[in-house]
Amino acid sequence: MSFMPDSTRLRSTVEAMSALPTRNTLSDGCAQAAKWIAAHLGQIPGIEVETMHYVMPKGRRVPEPRFAPNVIGTLPGRTNRRIVLSAHFDSLNLSVRPEEPGAPGANDDASGVAAVLEVARLLAATENECTVHFALLSGEEQGLLGAHALAQHTQREEWNLEAILNNDTIGSSGNLLGLSDPTAIRVFSEESPRHNARELARWMEWHTRQHLPDFRVKLVLRRDRFGRGGDHTPFTMRGFSAVRLTEVNEEYSHQHTPDDLIEHMDFDYLAHVTQVNAHCAASLAQAEPAPRFVRIVRDQSHSTTLRWQGNPGQKYAIYWRDTASATWQDCREVTPEGDPLTLQATIDRVNKDDHFFAVASLGGIPQPAQ
């Protein structure tokens, strides 16, 4: 499976978004951006497009309640399992009024919009187990309001939502200090018994390492950048597995200013980040259902036996890592023995004292063994 993003098309999207004087959610530019996004999503064969309006309540940076748009593109799958790729299309300039110009928002976050639209094009011709949603959200700069609205919708409608990849500020490989890394993207995740976001991030690092050897995922084992927030958090708050992708070397002085311009971006880098999104989304979308109730057999042995509930005859992957490692270090494909309630496989000569284990459907998120 090979996905090659078009850097020229990525640039074209950022040019169109940043050409609007402002995309502040309280301005007419936000509605213009939403219409542009919906029109371009609608041109992709197989993608169903919906503009979802929600009410922004009075609060931080919202003087009075008002409607705002989210644009959702949907690629139907064979099952009711779902994944989401998201980015926010609104912009902000803190030094002017919301309706005034000077908020190009090229990197924050037209870069994410460009990546999500490009992944929609790349995945449109694929057939998947999961339904894939491409969510372009507003209200991020007013307090993650568009993401809260979509997360509430998914919870209310009882979506079987397995993963959310949120892209925010992913278009520059370096900053004004001279720090540069064109070969890595940060993935932020939190750990919680309510969701599997940390294992989603850990799997993205492994999957990228195996399939895109010239690029890497840098795991950041915290919810988000220090003291700040993003559109993945309204989903984790509701028990969904969501992570945030952000460039390694942010330039803070450009954010929320007239200087967030296209000339500060690196479109080869953005293409690499887009490729990570496409590879990971395609794998997740095509994976069989995850194993359930993964357990380690509590015997004293130099080997480790795992048991879980699942589908006999289905292939699974067993992952393991040293207890001091944050990343998966090895993986073995297995066809387990047993019945649906007691599938079983053994990893010879790898002990349970020194290692953590997990089991996954092929291409899916590992489920930690207890």
Side-chain angles (χ1 to χ4, degrees):
M1 184 167 35
S2 177
F3 296 106
M4 297 301 295
D6 185 332
S7 58
T8 301
R9 200 156 48 202
L10 292 169
R11 174 182 283 273
S12 178
T13 297
V14 176
E15 287 175 344
M17 290 287 101
S18 59
L20 292 167
T22 180
R23 303 189 307 279
N24 190 300
T25 311
L26 302 180
S27 73
D28 292 339
C30 178
Q32 294 175 44
K35 289 179 181 178
W36 188 96
I37 290 166
H40 281 72
L41 269 175
Q43 293 171 6
I44 304 173
I47 302 292
E48 303 169 358
V49 182
E50 177 184 6
T51 299
M52 301 174 60
H53 288 90
Y54 65 96
V55 176
M56 293 195 299
K58 181 178 180 179
R60 178 173 174 257
R61 300 176 181 166
V62 183
E64 297 295 336
R66 61 182 294 165
F67 283 101
N70 287 334
V71 182
I72 312 297
T74 299
L75 179 63
R78 288 185 286 266
T79 72
N80 67 352
R81 297 161 53 218
R82 304 172 190 249
I83 66 172
V84 170
L85 280 83
S86 69
H88 73 89
F89 65 87
D90 59 312
S91 65
L92 181 68
N93 181 346
L94 288 169
S95 63
V96 300
R97 292 195 298 269
E99 70 276 7
E100 292 182 341
N107 198 20
D108 180 17
D109 183 32
S111 64
V113 173
V116 171
L117 291 179
E118 184 67 3
V119 175
R121 295 185 183 98
L122 292 170
L123 266 59
T126 62
E127 295 184 0
N128 302 299
E129 291 294 309
C130 295
T131 292
V132 185
H133 299 282
F134 305 95
L136 290 313
L137 308 173
S138 65
E140 195 269 353
E141 305 291 8
Q142 285 73 30
L144 317 178
L145 300 182
H148 275 293
L150 181 59
Q152 289 169 354
H153 175 80
T154 63
Q155 190 174 48
R156 184 170 58 248
E157 298 296 318
E158 298 183 340
W159 281 16
N160 186 5
L161 184 51
E162 297 188 350
I164 301 97
L165 310 184
N166 179 52
N167 291 267
D168 195 341
T169 314
I170 58 171
S172 178
S173 58
N175 60 25
L176 294 179
L177 289 178
L179 299 173
S180 178
D181 189 347
T183 66
I185 183 70
R186 289 185 292 176
V187 174
F188 291 83
S189 66
E190 65 175 297
E191 192 162 14
S192 170
R194 298 184 61 215
H195 55 68
N196 211 18
R198 178 59 49 77
E199 292 307 325
L200 170 59
R202 218 188 304 274
W203 170 83
M204 290 179 66
E205 190 278 337
W206 169 270
H207 187 79
T208 301
R209 195 176 354 136
Q210 302 306 307
H211 295 279
L212 300 172
D214 296 329
F215 203 76
R216 63 189 175 89
V217 162
K218 177 183 178 182
L219 293 179
V220 184
L221 305 182
R222 65 188 336 155
R223 172 188 286 182
D224 207 322
R225 301 148 307 155
F226 188 79
R228 295 184 287 168
D231 279 340
H232 60 305
T233 299
F235 292 92
T236 59
M237 289 171 59
R238 292 167 174 82
F240 297 115
S241 300
V243 299
R244 176 193 178 116
L245 289 81
T246 297
E247 63 200 27
V248 175
N249 295 298
E250 287 184 84
E251 180 45 59
Y252 309 115
S253 68
H254 289 161
Q255 295 173 1
H256 303 159
T257 76
D259 293 324
D260 188 358
L261 299 168
I262 194 168
E263 50 258 42
H264 302 311
M265 293 176 60
D266 177 346
F267 285 92
D268 288 338
Y269 176 78
L270 179 56
H272 283 299
V273 179
T274 303
Q275 193 173 32
V276 170
N277 275 273
H279 266 272
C280 290
S283 182
L284 293 169
Q286 294 173 13
E288 297 288 337
R292 303 177 302 280
F293 303 110
V294 181
R295 297 290 184 267
I296 297 174
V297 175
R298 296 177 180 273
D299 60 351
Q300 292 182 330
S301 170
H302 296 293
S303 300
T304 300
T305 298
L306 299 109
R307 290 177 181 157
W308 64 92
Q309 294 182 11
N311 299 318
Q314 177 180 325
K315 291 184 177 180
Y316 292 87
I318 296 178
Y319 293 83
W320 65 92
R321 58 189 171 92
D322 187 275
T323 58
S325 174
T327 61
W328 293 116
Q329 296 172 304
D330 214 336
C331 175
R332 185 172 303 167
E333 184 178 310
V334 299
T335 303
E337 301 175 346
D339 59 50
L341 297 180
T342 55
L343 295 175
Q344 177 174 302
T346 298
I347 302 299
D348 293 326
R349 302 172 68 86
V350 182
N351 72 63
K352 62 183 73 62
D353 294 329
D354 299 358
H355 299 88
F356 292 127
F357 292 84
V359 180
S361 59
L362 294 187
I365 305 170
Q367 309 298 309
Q370 304 298 323

